[in-house]
Every structure is written in C-alpha cells, then in structure tokens.
Amino acid sequence: MKKLQDRAGKIYRNSDIGYNIVRPIYLIYQFILKFMSDKHIIKKQFKARMGYKLDLENPKTLNEKMNWLKLYNRKDLHTIVADKYKVRDYVEEKVGSKYLIPLILETKDSNDIRPENFPESNFIIKANHNSSGGLIVRDKTKVDWEAARKRFKRTLKENYFYSSREWQYKNIEPRIIAEELLTYEDGSIPEDYKFHCFNGKLAFIMIDFDRFGELRTRNLYDKDWNLIPCNWGRPYGKDLEKPDNLEEMIAVVEKLAEDFIYVRVDLYLVKGKIYFGEITFHHNSGHQKFIQEEWDYKFGELLKIKELENEK
C-alpha cells in the first residue's frame, strides 16, 4: 500500500495528466478530512498500517506512544524545528552554525527555480514543509527546469498535516530551499545517522544504507555502537565502523533534543565533519513495524510520557 501511495504521489506531482485528474479528487478528499477529528484519523491510520488498534489510554509500544504524542504534545517550537528552513536558526542557537549544510537558495516563489540561481552541480532542491524528499541535481544542464518549477509550484500548495495529522506541519509557511549536496569522494550520497532521543537523551542510533537504491537496509546501534538485535522495517545492512567523533555527534543531538519528549535528529558525517540533516517528531509517522515485535514494547517502555499524561 505504501509503495502504491508513493507511486501515486510521484504521478500527482510530476505528471500534468496525473495532476489534473488527481488534484480535484485530492481537494475534495482534503476538504472531507478537515471535518474529521485528529483522533479518528490517527486511530484509523494506525489500525490500517500496524494491524492492531491504537490504545490511546494506555500506550505501550514505541509506535503507539508516537501516535499519542501527535495528539497530546503540541508546541509552537515543534512547528519551528519541523520547518526545514527555520530550524537552521534553532540549530545555530543551540549548537552553532558550523553544523549547518550551506544554504544556496530560499524562496516562496517557484519561478525562482532557474539555472542562473544555482551552481553548476551538486545541490538539492526541496520543500521546507513536508517529507516528500527533493530534487537532487548533479549537473544543472541536465535538469528540466520548467518541470522542476511546475513540481515545486504544486508542492507549495500542499499541506501535509491533513493526511498525516502530524500537527507540527499544519502551520509551516511553505517555501523552497536549496542546499549543497553532501557526497563522499566517489560521489555517493552519505548515510543518514538517525539519532532517536527519548526525554532528551539518546536511546539508539539508526543507520540506513542505500537510501535511494532498490535494497534499502538498516542497522540499529546503542550509544556505545553495539548492534541492537532487531530490525525496524528493514533487514540488516553492512557492518559500519564506529565514527571517531561519535561522542561529539551524541552531544550535538542531545543538545538539540533537550526540549522534546521524543525526537529523531538526523546527522551526516562527511570527511570527518558533522552536518545537521533534520528533526523529525514521529519516525515514519509512527507506523513502522518491528520484525521482532518485542522491541516495539522494549523501546516503548523506555520512552516516558507520564508527565504529559497527567496534563492531558
């Protein structure tokens, strides 16, 4: 189902025929969604994707608690740091600008997506207000710029909140940003180091391999870089050496995570230098199964939401 939705999304964004057919249906669907409660949609999505009912009264698994947090943990700061543009100020204030990927462009006008506004190669263009990925450019002479402008014009009209019910996306002011594309010396895209933090402290580290390939794999490590014997949505990947500056990476993410109950902080490590990627409040929208189901409960037990439960 997820692959089908992703394929439909690409047709919707990149095809004139797909857009003209799907857009009216999407607008009607979004209009209907606005009259449905967040709780109703969150519970319905959870059952469809996880296969069991969401227990909001006594959430136990990590996925359940992420969905509980969608409803009961909403702060203005969440909107700021979920914004891929405004989060840059938050990162600079918390840990310093040296961790930021160089910014090339920010605009609210898709007409600014023109070759003269970009370097010759190696950058990524993306929206600040959703999780649809971006346009990776290796050589700007090979880009269909008219299609790119059309794609991002459509993206600027979307509000990711109504389909996901992840509140932090609801009030982000849409814009387009472009950043330098981080690569290894061979030109390949670096692995994401995804640090999952519970109550301001690192719980585990997740590494995705071959993110843009056919066989995407994933390893989970503890804070001492021991492989955790579980698979979250994907099979094990290759062995990866412990980064020399792991302690610095952990210090950065815990500083960025200190204001939040649960958060995933993504970093890149290129040529020994640490770069900030993004902050995510609900990994995979709280809808990713563990192959070993008991780990959903183990991690869920570590994430404490009692303080929030008393405020509910």
Side-chain angles (χ1 to χ4, degrees), residues 108-281:
K108 299 174 188 175
D109 187 352
S110 59
N111 289 316
D112 290 333
I113 303 179
R114 298 183 177 279
E116 58 266 27
N117 291 330
F118 298 94
E120 294 303 313
S121 61
N122 289 339
F123 55 92
I124 181 170
I125 309 172
K126 56 188 177 182
N128 70 320
H129 65 296
N130 64 17
S131 59
S132 63
L135 175 63
I136 293 175
V137 179
R138 302 281 191 170
D139 180 351
K140 74 176 182 181
T141 64
K142 297 180 180 179
V143 175
D144 183 337
W145 290 99
E146 183 178 354
R149 286 191 290 275
K150 189 177 293 184
R151 167 183 170 177
F152 283 98
K153 182 178 181 180
R154 293 168 180 174
T155 301
L156 287 173
K157 295 178 181 178
E158 297 175 3
N159 191 317
Y160 187 60
F161 163 75
Y162 290 105
S163 58
S164 72
R165 279 318 199 261
E166 296 183 55
W167 177 85
Q168 66 272 18
Y169 294 110
K170 185 176 184 179
N171 299 312
I172 295 177
E173 184 178 15
R175 73 179 75 213
I176 303 159
I177 62 173
E179 295 175 335
E180 180 182 307
L181 180 66
L182 299 178
T183 63
Y184 292 136
E185 291 183 358
D186 63 0
S188 61
I189 302 295
E191 288 88 7
D192 265 321
Y193 291 76
K194 300 179 184 293
F195 294 79
H196 293 253
C197 297
F198 299 175
N199 311 105
K201 296 296 180 182
L202 175 65
F204 61 91
I205 307 160
M206 186 173 79
I207 314 293
D208 279 8
F209 303 97
D210 196 24
R211 287 183 295 130
F212 301 102
E214 290 297 320
L215 184 60
R216 187 170 171 180
T217 56
R218 173 177 293 164
N219 290 349
L220 271 62
Y221 298 93
D222 66 19
K223 61 183 179 63
D224 297 314
W225 207 253
N226 298 306
L227 184 67
I228 300 174
C230 75
N231 304 96
W232 197 7
R234 301 187 185 279
Y236 289 122
K238 62 185 179 183
D239 289 332
L240 190 67
E241 290 186 8
K242 176 181 175 180
D244 292 335
N245 46 0
L246 179 61
E247 289 186 8
E248 181 185 359
M249 297 173 84
I250 293 174
V252 168
V253 299
E254 289 190 342
K255 186 65 177 176
L256 294 174
E258 65 183 359
D259 298 316
F260 309 112
I261 303 300
Y262 165 82
V263 74
R264 195 194 81 203
V265 181
D266 296 359
L267 300 181
Y268 298 101
L269 186 59
V270 181
K271 299 177 183 177
K273 182 172 171 54
I274 299 168
Y275 293 94
F276 169 78
E278 65 176 294
I279 288 177
T280 301
F281 287 103

Side-chain angles (χ1 to χ4, degrees), residues 84-92 100-103 179:
K84 293 181 177 63
Y85 176 68
K86 290 187 176 180
V87 70
R88 296 175 64 88
D89 290 336
Y90 178 80
V91 172
E92 183 173 358
L100 293 172
I101 299 173
L103 184 69
E179 295 175 335

